[in-house]
Amino acid sequence: MNISNFNLRMKDKILTLFTFINNLVNKGHDRSVKAKKNIIASFFIKGISIAISLILVPITINYINPSRYGIWITLSSIVGWFSFFNIGLTAGLRNKFAEAKAKGEDNLAQIYVSTTYAILAIIFSLVWLIFLIVNNFLNWAHILNVSESMRSEVSSLAVIVFSFFCLQFVFRIIGTLILANQQPAKSALIDVYGQIISLIFIIILVKTTEGSLIKLGIAFCVSPILVLLVANLYFFNGEFKKYRPSLSKIKLHYAKGLLNLGVVFFIIQIAGIIQYETANIIIAQNFGTADVTSYNIVYKYFGILNMIFAIFLIPFWSASTEAYLKNDIQWIKNGIKKYNLLNLVLILIGFVMLIFSEKIYSLWLGEGKVIIGFYFSLWGFLYYSLTMFASTYVFFLNSINALRIQLWACIISPLIYVAVAIILIKYYKMGVYSLFIASIIANFNGYILSPLQYHMVINKNKKGIWIK
């Protein structure tokens, strides 16, 4: 009898818990409910993504060694520079698509989708052909600061990575549409499938072959293309069927609306590319490719915080676009407050990660594989703490196209970044962590100007430069 009563009480408690969770998730504005469901789903999906990323690092390093892993990372970063040929079109599409859907203009949404696919396909086809010609004259051994004997191998790897990069950039438009539809969990799931296939390929390589940069590059490049191709076919024959790209819907004069907004995003993206992608080049040239590996280990380790924060933040972009169009200012204010509280929680978690960082590196990568000092980790932690704080305000301003101030800041921030990095390395003889210091100084827009602009737009209802 006692056991029976105990079982009944446990069932009641479990039922109460499920009722509480159900009410918590489904309570509030439809926009908030949709965001909460996506956050919960994204949390599990991103958890898998983080785990795979952490597993891949030691497996890959053991397969080729830290120095060659640094070559892979640096080359990938250089190729990443070419994403600027996107000229901000996907970011412009995200806002335009969300606006068209919010107004029920499905035909206009399809025109924007078709036109974006067409323009990016043309751009990246031309860029790919130009690269194939120019690559014959590039000395990758000198660019990456490695042995001349590796020149041919690295040159072949560059062709492989760049070719798949161009394909991926066109196919990845589907992810932009999913995000604009306020479904970040589905977008994240596409990336996770790509990671899972990459992990399978790498494990097969480790078991069956000797370390090879070429084979590693193919494994990492083929996986996301396969998944993105399937995703495009799946969504455009299902949920997004009415927005499916069509030759008859390509209207190049509509590109002006995308480009006017896209060019601004383009310049902003350039600043981000320079600050992240240039870091690996600067490190390779001044310290060596093995230190590129150390930098990226710290970047990935504390980047976990940013990935978790992004799970909660990504739905805020398109939801804010809708809320601002409908003048739901209180919803936006509540969202900002919640994100700032979450930021504080993650900073506390990051502090614990910092304290135990050296032990975790050893457990993660293996004893003595990569040596990373506490001071290096400290600056990585500080960089991500400020980045998370800034992201909330930048996301909101991006969602309402209030980009003018950010645009001017991003024009000068790359110059500040490179100048500070070189000064700290060349004249003050500081280590690789100087790249984190340079990033913090250069990102003044995110944690100073963007919160001020948000305050002027939302709390003071100011117009003019604040809303442009």
Side-chain angles (χ1 to χ4, degrees):
M1 186 69 180
N2 288 336
I3 294 175
S4 178
N5 288 336
F6 174 78
N7 289 336
L8 286 172
R9 286 197 300 270
M10 287 301 296
K11 288 179 180 178
D12 287 339
K13 288 180 179 179
I14 292 171
L15 182 61
T16 301
L17 178 62
F18 275 109
T19 302
F20 171 76
I21 293 172
N22 183 62
N23 291 335
L24 183 66
V25 172
N26 293 291
K27 184 179 179 181
H29 194 284
D30 288 344
R31 190 186 307 116
S32 299
V33 171
K34 191 173 185 179
K36 284 186 281 188
K37 288 180 178 178
N38 270 280
I39 286 169
I40 293 170
S42 295
F43 202 88
F44 288 104
I45 294 168
K46 278 292 184 181
I48 297 170
S49 177
I50 291 170
I52 294 173
S53 295
L54 296 178
I55 293 168
L56 273 171
V57 173
I59 291 176
T60 307
I61 290 175
N62 288 330
Y63 178 61
I64 50 177
N65 75 44
S67 181
R68 282 176 168 254
Y69 181 73
I71 292 171
W72 161 252
I73 294 294
T74 307
L75 181 59
S76 300
S77 298
I78 294 172
V79 171
W81 271 74
F82 289 88
S83 63
F84 73 80
F85 284 105
N86 165 359
I87 55 175
L89 274 172
T90 50
L93 174 65
R94 180 172 178 176
N95 283 11
K96 289 292 185 181
F97 184 79
E99 289 173 11
K101 277 191 83 273
K103 295 175 182 177
E105 298 175 342
D106 292 338
N107 184 61
L108 179 60
Q110 187 183 17
I111 289 172
Y112 280 132
V113 171
S114 301
T115 304
T116 302
Y117 267 92
I119 293 174
L120 286 185
I122 293 169
I123 289 174
F124 279 97
S125 293
L126 292 173
V127 170
W128 178 71
L129 290 171
I130 293 169
F131 178 82
L132 290 183
I133 296 170
V134 173
N135 189 60
N136 293 315
F137 303 96
L138 297 177
N139 186 339
W140 284 104
H142 176 72
I143 294 171
L144 299 177
N145 193 24
V146 297
S147 170
E148 190 67 27
S149 63
M150 296 187 67
R151 179 174 178 175
S152 178
E153 181 183 11
V154 178
S155 180
S156 298
L157 180 64
V159 172
I160 292 168
V161 174
F162 193 81
S163 298
F164 282 103
F165 166 82
C166 290
L167 285 172
Q168 187 177 155
F169 218 94
V170 177
F171 290 147
R172 194 169 281 281
I173 295 173
I174 189 65
T176 300
L177 301 181
I178 296 169
L179 288 173
N181 201 42
Q182 301 179 41
Q183 297 173 304
K186 290 183 179 179
S187 180
L189 190 60
I190 292 173
D191 292 331
V192 167
Y193 284 141
Q195 286 181 300
I196 291 172
I197 296 174
S198 291
L199 179 60
I200 293 170
F201 283 170
I202 298 300
I203 291 174
I204 292 172
L205 286 179
V206 170
K207 297 292 185 180
T208 60
T209 69
E210 294 294 325
S212 167
L213 273 173
I214 301 296
K215 292 174 183 177
L216 179 75
I218 293 172
F220 272 121
C221 292
V222 169
S223 306
I225 290 296
L226 292 175
V227 175
L228 286 170
L229 181 59
V230 171
N232 275 266
L233 293 172
Y234 175 79
F235 282 99
F236 284 129
N237 284 288
E239 188 174 351
F240 292 159
K241 189 172 184 177
K242 57 186 173 182
Y243 310 119
R244 184 164 57 193
S246 168
L247 289 174
S248 63
K249 295 295 182 178
I250 297 172
K251 310 289 184 184
L252 294 180
H253 60 278
Y254 277 89
K256 183 179 179 181
L258 291 167
L259 288 169
N260 286 342
L261 182 58
V263 167
V264 179
F265 278 117
F266 162 64
I267 296 172
I268 293 169
Q269 286 171 348
I270 287 292
I273 290 170
I274 291 175
Q275 288 186 215
Y276 176 67
E277 309 293 0
T278 313
N280 293 319
I281 302 170
I282 293 174
I283 295 169
Q285 286 291 323
N286 290 278
F287 300 99
T289 53
D291 286 295
V292 173
T293 298
S294 299
Y295 176 80
N296 279 273
I297 293 300
V298 176
Y299 206 92
K300 285 180 181 292
Y301 178 61
F302 289 104
I304 294 172
L305 297 171
N306 200 46
M307 289 177 70
I308 294 172
F309 191 62
I311 291 171
F312 294 88
L313 186 61
I314 287 174
F316 190 56
W317 183 317
S318 296
S320 291
T321 301
E322 179 188 320
Y324 192 75
L325 286 171
K326 296 181 178 179
N327 201 35
D328 194 350
I329 303 301
Q330 190 56 49
W331 185 90
I332 295 171
K333 287 182 178 180
N334 292 339
I336 293 290
K337 288 178 182 177
K338 290 174 182 177
Y339 285 121
N340 283 336
L341 286 172
L342 175 62
N343 190 19
L344 289 174
V345 171
L346 290 173
I347 288 174
L348 291 174
I349 294 172
F351 185 71
V352 175
M353 290 172 63
L354 174 65
I355 293 172
F356 295 100
S357 58
E358 293 183 58
K359 292 182 179 178
I360 293 174
Y361 294 145
S362 295
L363 289 172
W364 175 22
L365 304 171
E367 192 71 38
K369 284 286 183 181
V370 181
I371 307 300
I372 301 170
F374 178 83
Y375 201 58
F376 194 172
S377 295
L378 172 63
W379 282 108
F381 164 68
L382 293 174
Y383 165 74
Y384 270 115
S385 296
L386 288 169
T387 296
M388 288 188 293
F389 171 75
S391 296
T392 304
Y393 298 96
V394 170
F395 259 55
F396 167 71
L397 295 171
N398 287 351
S399 75
I400 64 169
N401 302 331
L403 304 170
R404 184 71 59 82
I405 294 175
Q406 187 181 173
L407 170 65
W408 287 110
C410 287
I411 288 174
I412 64 171
S413 64
L415 302 175
I416 295 173
Y417 171 76
V418 174
V420 171
I422 291 173
I423 290 170
L424 293 178
I425 293 170
K426 296 290 187 182
Y427 297 99
Y428 288 89
K429 306 300 180 184
M430 296 176 70
V432 181
Y433 59 85
S434 58
L435 278 300
F436 284 126
I437 299 174
S439 292
I440 290 171
I441 294 172
N443 288 341
F444 61 91
N445 170 72
Y447 53 84
I448 297 177
L449 297 183
S450 291
L452 174 62
Q453 188 176 356
Y454 163 80
H455 174 71
M456 299 303 286
V457 171
I458 296 300
N459 296 327
K460 296 293 185 180
N461 196 30
K462 295 290 184 180
K463 304 296 181 183
I465 187 64
W466 303 107
I467 201 64
K468 291 183 179 179

